[in-house]
Amino acid sequence: MNISLPSPWKDRLRQERVRRNWRQSDLAELLKTTTITINRWEQGKQKPGPHFRRKLCELFDKDAEELGFFTEKPPLSDNAEQQKQMPVVVSCVQDQLAVPKIWSIPYSHNPFFIGREHILLRMHEMLTEKRTPTLTQSLAISGLGGMGKTQIAIEYSYRYASDYAAVLWINAETVESITSSFAAIVELLDISEKVEQEQYRLMTGIIRWLNSHDRWLMIFDDVEEIDLVQQFLSTVRGGSLLFTSRRQTLGLTAHKLNVEKMPLEEGMRLLLHRSRLLDSTLSMHDLSLEDAEALDTIIATMDGLPLALDQAATYIEATRCNPSDYLQLLRSSPLRLLDEREAYGSHPLSLTRTFMLTLARLESTNALASELLTVCAFLAPESIPEEFFIKGAAQLGPAFEPLAVDAFLFQTTIKSLLAYSLLQRNAITHTLAIHRLVQTVLKERISEADQCILIKRLIYSMSQLFPAGWEGHANYSQACERLLPHALVCITFVAQFNEVSLEAIFLLCAVSHYLLNCSQLTAAEALLRHALCLAIQLLGSEHPQVTKITSELSLLATKQENYKEILPLCQSTLTICENAPGPQSPKVVNTCIFYANLQTMFHVKGWQRRD
């Protein structure tokens, strides 16, 4: 029986698109690729990779055979059941054979890879545009440890495998891993240097092979040896070089992409897909309300870090616990839970150990940068003002004092943190940001005694920086708003560590005064009452500072029309002012007159009877 071969895939793709009255741009948008890519497919200049072949089959509701993605039809079988399954089997085999013959990627294709479409498309543009036999395209992708750089490189390799004649992988973390990777590549390429053991000779043989071929992709994963990378970049041609690194600056003349946090929706999809909480037939609406709320909190805590999300998902899958149980563990034992990795998943290190290695490297190269990062762990994670470390340097401790007078030292310190992607910097607003999970790991590294010392310094510094009022501050509101999130974090530590000090009282009063001006009356009252308790405990009930606090409370009670509270506060304030020792300042005299008049108004107007 004669079997007709399917039409070439380039023609079949165009036919299916035209049948639906789609333009090339319409198809590109549906597949999240470019019109240029669609055009190259339909002209036969480029064959879709495994990822896009699967998407095209789903989109056109056709199998791989019907779209012409292989040219030999499998022999028919007498077994009807086997005949039904044959297209699926062949399609899978074809995907496995889609990688080039020269292939040294040490990882299988990750079936749980989610999102990052815009990054992958941008990588493809940067690595293939203007590529010629005499020109090498190079790209460095950087980001915090656990941000998914390696997984992105693996996904890129499989997705665009058909664009390359050879794809080579080098583990660039250590000199030993580089040498081992070189030896494996030399063996794969079957070149004369395969008997050599010296790194230089191995590298020379690889460079010679690369320069005599084109359409190759070489990936350096987790780069630390910058000098070696630089040598490759300057001596090879005709292909593409891809580097992944925690370092934001490698000193390379290469395109750069910074890998940032996963969007909330992508993070949710990854967690649900990887944990197998939902199969393909279910949706978020099929989850219980309790589990859905727990998942929201888990994702917010993981703050868009793919390794953390994957680690949480694999733990949930392996232990069969529900999201609420996992959330309880995350709250009670965060560091212990984040260190649970080796028994689950494919990443070689847990999140905790990934961060610990980076922090150890930082500490060994720049101790001051490590100290500054630790302070950031005890502030709000976003929009940390740089002036906190400059204007507040004297209060933060001896290690920080040079930052107040040496601008170059401050820039060098920030540079070290940016190099390992441990901080992000906004040059326009002069603020810093730190990932929430980096904060968690940093806090757990510090003993309780050292935490107490650091908390006292933070409260002292914030009490000096947060404006106490409008006087002397032309930009009072802007200054307060800039410091407010971090001041509120410091205030939580006042209660947590039972800090009874003048600095704590001043900070509570200053923040409550600003909140009062912003009409956040309930929050302002809570802080004032806390300040009043601390002031009485530390200074006694007749101290002038107590007068200031009761004055603010009476003003707040007036705004709240809480008449029952106003008169006792007036009487208390007036008594303290009248009994104050020594000559009374004009401010005290004015306070006495104000509250005496206010007390009289209560009696004249009969306000106390309104309760």
Side-chain angles (χ1 to χ4, degrees), residues 248-295:
Q248 289 191 9
T249 53
L250 290 172
L252 302 174
T253 55
H255 294 299
K256 295 179 182 179
L257 273 179
N258 187 47
V259 181
E260 299 181 347
K261 297 184 290 188
M262 287 189 102
L264 183 62
E265 183 183 351
E266 283 187 9
M268 179 65 82
R269 286 169 53 208
L270 172 59
L271 186 56
L272 290 172
H273 187 43
R274 182 65 187 88
S275 64
R276 304 180 194 270
L277 285 171
L278 295 181
D279 61 33
S280 58
T281 64
L282 299 176
S283 70
M284 276 289 291
H285 301 293
D286 295 297
L287 292 170
S288 69
L289 180 61
E290 183 183 13
D291 282 349
E293 290 176 350
L295 284 170

Side-chain angles (χ1 to χ4, degrees), residues 47-50 53 93-105 107 131 154-169 188-189 209 213-219:
K47 189 174 183 178
R53 289 205 296 279
V93 171
Q94 178 66 15
D95 277 352
Q96 293 171 358
L97 297 177
V99 300
K101 291 182 180 179
I102 301 175
W103 177 267
S104 71
I105 304 298
Y107 306 99
R131 185 179 62 190
I154 295 169
E155 177 66 18
Y156 178 85
S157 301
Y158 280 95
R159 186 173 296 195
Y160 296 103
S162 60
D163 281 4
Y164 299 98
V167 179
L168 306 171
W169 184 280
L188 177 66
L189 299 179
W209 187 93
H213 296 77
D214 60 8
R215 292 181 59 245
W216 49 260
L217 170 65
M218 177 168 276
I219 300 169

Side-chain angles (χ1 to χ4, degrees), residues 444-471:
E444 294 292 332
R445 293 176 79 215
I446 306 173
S447 68
E448 189 172 345
D450 287 339
Q451 281 195 34
C452 288
I453 294 170
L454 179 55
I455 292 304
K456 287 179 183 291
R457 290 175 176 174
L458 280 173
I459 293 170
Y460 186 17
S461 180
M462 190 62 71
S463 70
Q464 298 293 311
L465 290 175
F466 202 95
W470 293 90
E471 295 179 10

Side-chain angles (χ1 to χ4, degrees), residues 94-229:
Q94 178 66 15
D95 277 352
Q96 293 171 358
L97 297 177
V99 300
K101 291 182 180 179
I102 301 175
W103 177 267
S104 71
I105 304 298
Y107 306 99
S108 58
H109 194 196
N110 182 2
F112 298 109
F113 188 88
I114 295 290
R116 303 301 201 185
E117 297 294 336
H118 67 290
I119 294 177
L120 291 163
L121 286 172
R122 188 74 182 118
M123 288 170 64
H124 189 239
E125 291 171 3
M126 290 177 171
L127 288 172
T128 57
E129 65 180 359
K130 300 179 182 178
R131 185 179 62 190
T132 67
T134 59
L135 180 66
T136 298
Q137 292 298 316
S138 55
L139 169 65
I141 59 175
S142 61
L144 177 66
M147 202 58 79
K149 303 177 293 295
T150 297
Q151 287 299 319
I152 290 172
I154 295 169
E155 177 66 18
Y156 178 85
S157 301
Y158 280 95
R159 186 173 296 195
Y160 296 103
S162 60
D163 281 4
Y164 299 98
V167 179
L168 306 171
W169 184 280
I170 293 174
N171 181 350
E173 186 175 4
T174 65
V175 173
E176 291 76 16
S177 65
I178 291 172
T179 303
S180 177
S181 298
F182 280 170
I185 290 173
V186 164
E187 185 72 28
L188 177 66
L189 299 179
D190 194 28
I191 53 182
S192 59
E193 283 78 2
K194 65 182 179 180
V195 296
E196 297 286 349
Q197 296 299 320
E198 293 182 16
Q199 180 180 296
Y200 177 75
R201 291 184 178 276
L202 291 170
M203 184 175 64
T204 302
I206 294 170
I207 289 174
R208 186 170 62 250
W209 187 93
L210 294 175
N211 284 335
S212 61
H213 296 77
D214 60 8
R215 292 181 59 245
W216 49 260
L217 170 65
M218 177 168 276
I219 300 169
F220 287 82
D221 184 48
D222 201 6
V223 173
E224 287 291 334
E225 297 295 322
I226 299 175
D227 292 340
L228 182 62
V229 169

Side-chain angles (χ1 to χ4, degrees), residues 31-52:
L31 294 174
K32 295 183 179 178
T33 185
T34 63
T35 306
I36 295 173
T37 299
I38 304 298
N39 185 262
R40 287 168 64 86
W41 291 347
E42 293 186 357
Q43 289 186 11
K45 293 180 179 179
Q46 175 184 337
K47 189 174 183 178
H51 168 80
F52 283 115

